[in-house]
Amino acid sequence: LFALFLTLSFAVFLFNTIFITVDPGEKGVLWKRFDNGTESRVYDEGLHLISPFNVMYKYDTRIQQRETEFSALSSGGLIIEIKALVRFSSIRDQVYLLHQKVGPDYIERVVIPETQATLRRVIGTKVLGAIYFTQESLVQKSLLSVASELRRNYIQLDDLLIKEIRLPTLVAEAIETKLLEKPPQIGIKALKGGGR
């Protein structure tokens, strides 16, 4: 009776390490302690029975998004504050490669750093006026570079949005003042003078 109780207690203790559920929108990657580490396959949703010596890592393969705020330098050396939103997902059939190369913390190790690095690099080639007035082309140029780098790490870029660009206060005020200036009257005066 004691042996049966001990066996049942041991089974209950190991239940969560033997019976693994991969939830909807997830893929599983199995790491085998005594058999060459990460297995070169992906486990689909559902219940899986594994050895208590192995570990199943679960990856969310749905589209995720993260917001990041950081500073960048313009070509003139002025500091610009950027707020960006990146949407991405792990490539489903390559999750085991993502696990081997980067690991479960791939968002903090790859997605956010690469997004920031690319935007800094692109902004570093622009003058302030170009940054302020050509945000769409800035994003398009950044998209291609971020997408390429993420794909090398088995991550799919869905979208990259620049939510806010904060210029130095004096520069922002100067640009706004220029936009609010009335158009010059030289053309009208010239036209009147020519009718004499």
Side-chain angles (χ1 to χ4, degrees):
L1 186 62
F2 177 74
L4 178 61
F5 175 76
L6 190 63
T7 302
L8 288 174
S9 298
F10 187 67
V12 170
F13 178 74
L14 291 177
F15 184 85
N16 289 331
T17 59
I18 295 175
F19 296 97
I20 305 296
T21 300
V22 177
D23 296 321
E26 292 182 336
K27 294 291 184 182
V29 177
L30 187 64
W31 180 76
K32 296 183 174 180
R33 190 178 303 275
F34 303 114
D35 190 15
N36 297 324
T38 303
E39 190 174 49
S40 299
R41 62 166 287 194
V42 175
Y43 288 78
D44 293 324
E45 301 170 9
L47 183 65
H48 302 278
L49 179 65
I50 68 173
S51 165
F53 299 107
N54 299 336
V55 180
M56 180 78 81
Y57 292 88
K58 293 186 282 186
Y59 283 79
D60 191 341
T61 57
R62 292 167 291 197
I63 292 177
Q64 303 180 65
Q65 65 179 33
R66 290 291 187 279
E67 190 174 276
T68 177
E69 294 187 50
F70 59 97
S71 300
L73 288 176
S74 71
S75 63
L78 293 176
I79 296 176
I80 300 163
E81 299 295 327
I82 306 292
K83 182 187 289 185
L85 182 74
V86 57
R87 293 195 181 110
F88 59 92
S89 61
S90 53
I91 300 175
R92 296 185 177 191
D93 59 350
Q94 297 180 349
V95 169
Y96 70 96
L97 293 169
L98 172 62
H99 183 71
Q100 284 180 315
K101 184 172 181 179
V102 185
D105 56 347
Y106 67 94
I107 297 174
E108 290 73 25
R109 293 182 63 184
V110 174
V111 176
I112 298 302
E114 284 301 331
T115 300
Q116 292 181 352
T118 297
L119 285 172
R120 284 192 179 106
R121 187 165 58 249
V122 173
I123 286 171
T125 65
K126 303 284 186 180
V127 296
L128 283 178
I131 293 169
Y132 193 84
F133 292 110
T134 61
Q135 292 184 31
E136 186 175 344
S137 62
L138 186 150
V139 170
Q140 291 301 318
K141 187 174 180 180
S142 301
L143 266 171
L144 295 175
S145 183
V146 174
S148 175
E149 188 58 39
L150 293 188
R151 182 165 285 278
R152 279 198 288 270
N153 288 282
Y154 315 104
I155 304 162
Q156 177 71 45
L157 178 67
D158 182 63
D159 202 1
L160 176 61
L161 307 170
I162 295 181
K163 298 183 69 176
E164 187 177 353
I165 293 180
R166 293 192 296 274
L167 302 177
T169 304
L170 292 176
V171 176
E173 289 175 353
I175 292 175
E176 288 176 6
T177 300
K178 188 173 182 179
L179 290 174
L180 292 173
E181 284 179 355
K182 292 181 180 179
Q185 302 298 313
I186 297 172
I188 296 174
K189 289 181 179 178
L191 183 61
K192 286 180 179 177
R196 290 178 181 176

